[in-house]
Amino acid sequence: MIDPGTIAAHGLTTEEYQRIVAILGRDPNLLELGIFSVMWSEHCSYKSSRIHLRTLPTAGPRVLQGPGENAGVLDIGGGLAAVFKIESHNHPSFIEPYQGAATGVGGIIRDIFTMGARPVALLDSLRFGSLESPATRRLVQGVVAGIAGYGNSIGIPTVGGEVAFDDTYSGNPLVNVFCLGIAPVDGVIRGRAEGTGNAVYYVGAKTGRDGIHGATMASAEFDDASAEKRPNVQVGDPFMEKLLLEACLEVLQTDALVGLQDMGAAGLTCSSCEMGARGGAGIDIDVARVPQRESDMTPYEIMLSESQERMLFIVRQGREAEVDRVFEKWDLHAVRIGEVTGDGLLRVRDGGEIVAEIPNRPLADEAPLYDRPYREPEDLHQRQTLDLSVLAPGGTPSMAFRRLLGSPGIASKRWIYRQYDHMVRTNTIVPAGAGAGVVRVKGTPRALAFSVDGNGRYCFLDPYRGAMLAVAESARNVACVGGRPIGATNCLNFGNPERPEIMWQFARAVAGIGDACRALHIPITGGNVSLYNETDGQAILPTPVLGVVGIIEDARRVVGRVFREAGAVVMLLGAPGGALGGSEYLKVMHGIVRGTPPELDLEAERALQQLVAELAEAGRLRSAHDCSDGGLAVALAECAFGNGGIGFDVAIPGSSDGAGLAAALFGEAASQIVVSVREADADAVLERAAAASVPAQVLGRTGGERLRFTFDGEPAVEVELAEAEQRWATGLSRYFEVPAA
């Protein structure tokens, strides 16, 4: 029997070890223990989350592939499919920011072209601690450089995303990356092994010792020794990946492959046993044949290495020469390391000697399933209690407006996205920072729109409602550019699931995602769960991030965020009014996260999104922008920034509950979109809104060089456009750019 210390060092419990013994009918050797440890880690097995994830809606008329494969697939018409997924690389990015973020990009790209799709766009969703900390600034610089370095080098545009800041992320940042690709419907391929005697091919880069036990590391909390885990972080090579991408897509044109899979988390172990389990087959491989870049590597190291830019192919018998020719052309390794068998076993050899033998299905699909206990946090009522009367004065509305515009969470993210080549491949329609990502589907009149959104503050106060709001906001952003949401992926970032309060957050958030997706008719096609995001017992804010994909039938009708001309009519679509609970205003002006998140009427939300998409299709909208962080005042200001700047004069509506000026200006609400329309279209837009039962009202007009807000017939805020835009433009960059002498 393996000693208890070794079992614990592999992240396995005594009960899990006994289960392994029962499966094998004997004690495992060290290699087999390592294989089980990575496959049964939280990161690979979802053992704490599967019971909840099963409740999510995953079917729909456009769904060609739901959860269980490398990425989700949606039919977008014309014989084409959208292939997309979001993944996290949180722990590696904290330990080694550049490589952690870069290899996160590389991994999600491989998930897409593994399905037979050409990747066409990336989005990132990032969370960091306070920028007042030099350590955080270094972390941000490293992560952004890593995303840029990999995406720019491989030639895939990063067209947008989101960034937020909170102290809870100081010791555990979040780096979530979304990738979208396009494939012929009949060209989509799965990660499965079938056909006894078919060849198992290792292709791509050589194997090194980087990333060993990376999946296990991602399934544990951080502590003072986390820096010692630097060897667990992989090192990426985007130029190698570019060659691998092109070679894989070329091979897929030959019909020589039965299946293929990326060697991501758990490397060769995961790819081989998962492909075998999906196909009900065995895999027999010899690690001595695996190309290695370091000397004296053991079978344990080879099987658990997470070196990047590697794939596993199942090649049809008699077609091996075609694969060899393609990879020789691209100067890449393509080595036959084994074959498919009919016994259902993962059999690992070292120079012919069997060194591990494990049934594939139990290894890949029968990890322990935990229904972990959960309970509502004892201080939840205290969190949700908000008495505005006891707050110290937050300054005048004008002061609050200026401060919010310059806060890092709201300010322009140009310092980040200008480092990304967001126009490469010439498909990008909406520039980074101007709305949801939009890329044209070449050869068709269509475009695809996509957005990633989440709000940890909301989920901290009410994870069920906060998760619903994340779904709604991501879908609303897609609607704002003229898209109709058709599917979603999620990245669920939470703390330690062994703590009942954290597990309660997770369970309630998943329930909220499910209810919102059902109401909005948006199926979940897959995603990622990242748990144990905490350091020394301090958990991050619960942060479910939703990536929603939509279709735009006519790419000429895409709508942007920015006002396009003076004299346009500015309207609010959706019920007026906002609440300060959980708002950016409370966080920035008073340093607190309290109250309850905005209420959400899912029927009203769906009606609003349908209306905006219809108005965009009809060419009635000149601009559209959803109201989120900072409320209506910030949303209006963001519409004024860009295109040389266009001011406005608007009347801010009060809320039905008679809340004060701060709530009217900066209170946050769901289901609100600011649009601008031509004067000649205003009546028609109001009529369409009334027919759709969506509240709509005229706020004012665009024009001039000032931002003017009135409330209750009285002047509320008036700021020079140039000053406001300067504050917004430099709110983030001022932490990184040294002013000129």
Side-chain angles (χ1 to χ4, degrees):
M1 176 179 172
I2 294 176
D3 68 272
T6 301
I7 295 169
H10 280 75
L12 294 164
T13 66
T14 301
E15 293 75 15
E16 289 170 343
Y17 180 80
Q18 292 304 322
R19 185 167 180 166
I20 293 169
V21 171
I23 289 170
L24 296 177
R26 56 177 171 79
D27 285 319
N29 60 37
L30 184 62
L31 172 58
E32 291 167 333
L33 183 74
I35 288 172
F36 270 105
S37 76
V38 291
M39 289 307 300
W40 284 13
S41 68
E42 192 73 59
H43 188 74
C44 289
S45 74
Y46 293 68
K47 57 190 175 185
S48 297
S49 58
R50 291 202 316 271
I51 193 169
H52 300 285
L53 298 177
R54 289 171 179 171
T55 67
L56 294 173
T58 58
R62 291 184 180 268
V63 176
L64 301 177
Q65 177 63 58
E69 271 288 347
N70 293 301
V73 184
L74 297 174
D75 189 335
I76 59 173
L80 296 176
V83 181
F84 63 100
K85 191 181 181 184
I86 189 170
E87 282 273 6
S88 64
H89 233 222
N90 304 336
H91 288 62
S93 297
F94 175 70
I95 295 170
E96 177 52 64
Y98 184 96
Q99 291 296 347
T103 52
V105 173
I108 194 65
I109 290 172
R110 289 194 301 278
D111 281 339
I112 301 308
F113 72 76
T114 291
M115 300 292 292
R118 178 170 291 279
V120 296
L122 294 159
L123 296 175
D124 53 28
S125 178
L126 311 175
R127 300 291 187 278
F128 301 103
S130 169
L131 287 176
E132 300 298 332
S133 163
T136 296
R137 295 196 294 273
R138 288 193 296 271
L139 189 61
V140 172
Q141 289 173 312
V143 165
V144 171
I147 293 170
Y150 209 102
N152 295 354
S153 298
I154 198 171
I156 299 172
T158 302
V159 299
E162 56 152 12
V163 189
F165 303 90
D166 187 88
D167 287 342
T168 66
Y169 302 111
S170 294
N172 200 129
L174 302 184
V175 178
N176 296 177
V177 184
F178 168 100
C179 188
L180 173 79
I182 297 174
V185 168
D186 59 6
V188 172
I189 190 166
R190 271 75 176 179
R192 54 194 304 119
E194 293 176 328
T196 299
N198 280 336
V200 177
Y201 261 65
Y202 172 112
V203 304
K206 292 182 178 181
T207 293
R209 290 188 171 93
D210 51 322
I212 294 174
H213 273 297
T216 309
M217 176 197 70
S219 305
E221 301 174 32
F222 280 146
D223 54 30
D224 291 339
S226 293
E228 299 172 7
K229 299 177 181 177
R230 195 174 299 270
N232 295 137
V233 179
Q234 311 94 325
V235 178
D237 181 347
F239 302 104
M240 171 72 77
E241 177 134 331
K242 173 61 174 174
L243 299 177
L244 184 60
L245 185 160
E246 298 299 340
C248 287
L249 294 181
E250 185 171 333
V251 167
L252 287 171
Q253 301 299 312
T254 69
D255 191 38
L257 299 187
V258 174
L260 71 158
Q261 181 150 327
D262 165 41
M263 292 188 209
L268 181 55
T269 288
C270 185
S271 56
S272 55
C273 74
E274 284 191 346
M275 292 181 79
R278 291 191 191 111
I283 297 281
D284 189 320
I285 57 176
D286 192 331
V287 295
R289 302 179 189 174
V290 171
Q292 300 161 43
R293 70 167 185 261
E294 298 183 48
S295 60
D296 301 321
M297 289 190 70
T298 65
Y300 183 101
E301 293 171 325
I302 294 168
M303 287 299 295
L304 271 62
S305 168
E306 293 184 10
S307 294
Q308 296 290 284
E309 293 88 37
R310 305 178 302 156
M311 312 280 284
L312 200 67
F313 282 7
I314 307 299
V315 181
R316 300 184 194 279
Q317 291 188 71
R319 309 289 294 277
E320 295 89 349
E322 297 172 59
V323 175
D324 292 338
R325 281 196 297 270
V326 171
F327 275 80
E328 184 177 352
K329 167 188 169 181
W330 291 99
D331 196 24
L332 292 172
H333 295 284
V335 180
R336 180 170 181 158
I337 64 170
E339 65 180 29
V340 178
T341 67
D343 58 14
L345 297 176
L346 171 62
R347 187 174 292 106
V348 182
R349 302 175 186 270
D350 183 14
E353 178 188 354
I354 296 174
V355 292
E357 200 168 62
I358 305 171
N360 269 323
R361 195 173 296 280
L363 179 60
D365 298 337
E366 297 177 15
L369 178 62
Y370 294 126
D371 185 2
R372 295 197 185 276
Y374 54 90
R375 65 171 178 267
E376 183 179 290
E378 293 180 359
D379 67 343
L380 184 65
H381 177 72
Q382 180 181 351
R383 296 179 194 176
Q384 295 179 343
T385 300
L386 175 62
D387 183 356
L388 296 174
S389 67
V390 303
L391 297 179
T396 66
S398 290
M399 291 171 57
F401 182 58
R402 289 176 167 89
R403 190 168 166 190
L404 280 168
L405 289 178
S407 64
I410 286 176
S412 169
K413 307 306 184 291
R414 184 175 181 273
W415 178 85
I416 294 175
Y417 64 71
R418 75 178 182 183
Q419 299 181 52
Y420 305 152
D421 186 348
H422 57 271
M423 298 303 292
V424 66
R425 302 195 64 83
T426 69
N427 292 325
T428 306
I429 296 177
V430 174
V438 182
V439 294
R440 62 177 50 85
V441 182
K442 284 185 175 176
T444 79
R446 293 184 295 277
L448 292 174
F450 36 94
S451 179
V452 288
D453 290 281
N455 190 312
R457 297 190 314 274
Y458 289 172
C459 290
F460 175 72
L461 298 171
D462 184 338
Y464 175 78
R465 190 185 296 178
M468 287 200 299
L469 288 163
V471 175
E473 182 176 359
S474 192
R476 196 182 314 126
N477 281 326
V478 166
C480 282
V481 295
R484 293 181 180 272
I486 57 174
T489 180
N490 57 48
C491 200
L492 309 178
N493 306 275
F494 290 80
N496 185 344
E498 297 167 47
R499 295 169 54 194
E501 295 82 0
I502 300 296
M503 201 64 224
W504 176 82
Q505 291 176 341
F506 183 86
R508 294 299 294 154
V510 172
I513 291 170
D515 286 348
C517 285
R518 277 183 283 271
L520 299 177
H521 300 175
I522 302 173
I524 295 286
T525 63
N528 173 247
V529 175
S530 176
L531 302 176
Y532 296 95
N533 287 290
E534 52 185 85
T535 300
D536 295 329
Q538 172 63 56
I540 62 166
L541 295 177
T543 313
V545 174
L546 272 294
V548 172
V549 174
I551 190 166
I552 301 171
E553 293 295 343
D554 186 346
R556 297 171 301 175
R557 298 297 194 185
V558 171
V559 179
R561 164 180 61 83
V562 180
F563 293 146
R564 296 173 64 179
E565 65 269 309
V569 177
V570 181
M571 294 183 183
L572 175 66
L573 302 182
L580 293 176
S583 66
E584 190 78 4
Y585 171 85
L586 279 187
K587 182 173 180 292
V588 171
M589 301 305 295
H590 298 281
I592 61 173
V593 178
R594 296 287 291 272
T596 56
E599 295 183 1
L600 176 61
D601 181 330
L602 288 166
E603 289 187 11
E605 179 69 42
R606 187 160 183 261
L608 172 66
Q609 293 181 21
Q610 288 180 328
L611 171 66
V612 172
E614 290 170 3
L615 291 171
E617 289 170 356
R620 300 283 192 183
L621 301 182
R622 301 296 286 164
S623 68
H625 185 38
D626 87 308
C627 298
S628 56
D629 288 347
L632 181 56
V634 167
L636 284 161
E638 289 174 337
C639 294
F641 302 151
N643 288 349
I646 298 173
F648 56 75
D649 191 336
V650 299
I652 296 292
S655 59
S656 57
D657 61 5
L661 177 57
L665 288 167
F666 313 121
E668 295 168 7
S671 313
Q672 289 183 346
I673 296 176
V674 172
V675 301
S676 65
V677 304
R678 300 179 187 88
E679 186 78 47
D681 289 329
D683 289 342
V685 170
L686 291 172
E687 289 171 6
R688 291 281 290 273
S693 299
V694 174
Q697 63 189 100
V698 173
L699 301 180
R701 301 289 188 279
T702 63
E705 297 181 355
R706 302 183 71 81
L707 310 184
R708 293 190 178 93
F709 300 87
T710 60
F711 178 72
D712 240 0
E714 298 293 329
V717 173
E718 184 169 340
V719 181
E720 290 284 348
L721 170 62
E723 179 198 346
E725 186 164 9
Q726 176 69 9
R727 287 180 179 274
W728 177 78
T730 59
L732 175 65
S733 62
R734 63 190 170 93
Y735 288 95
F736 302 99
E737 296 176 347
V738 178

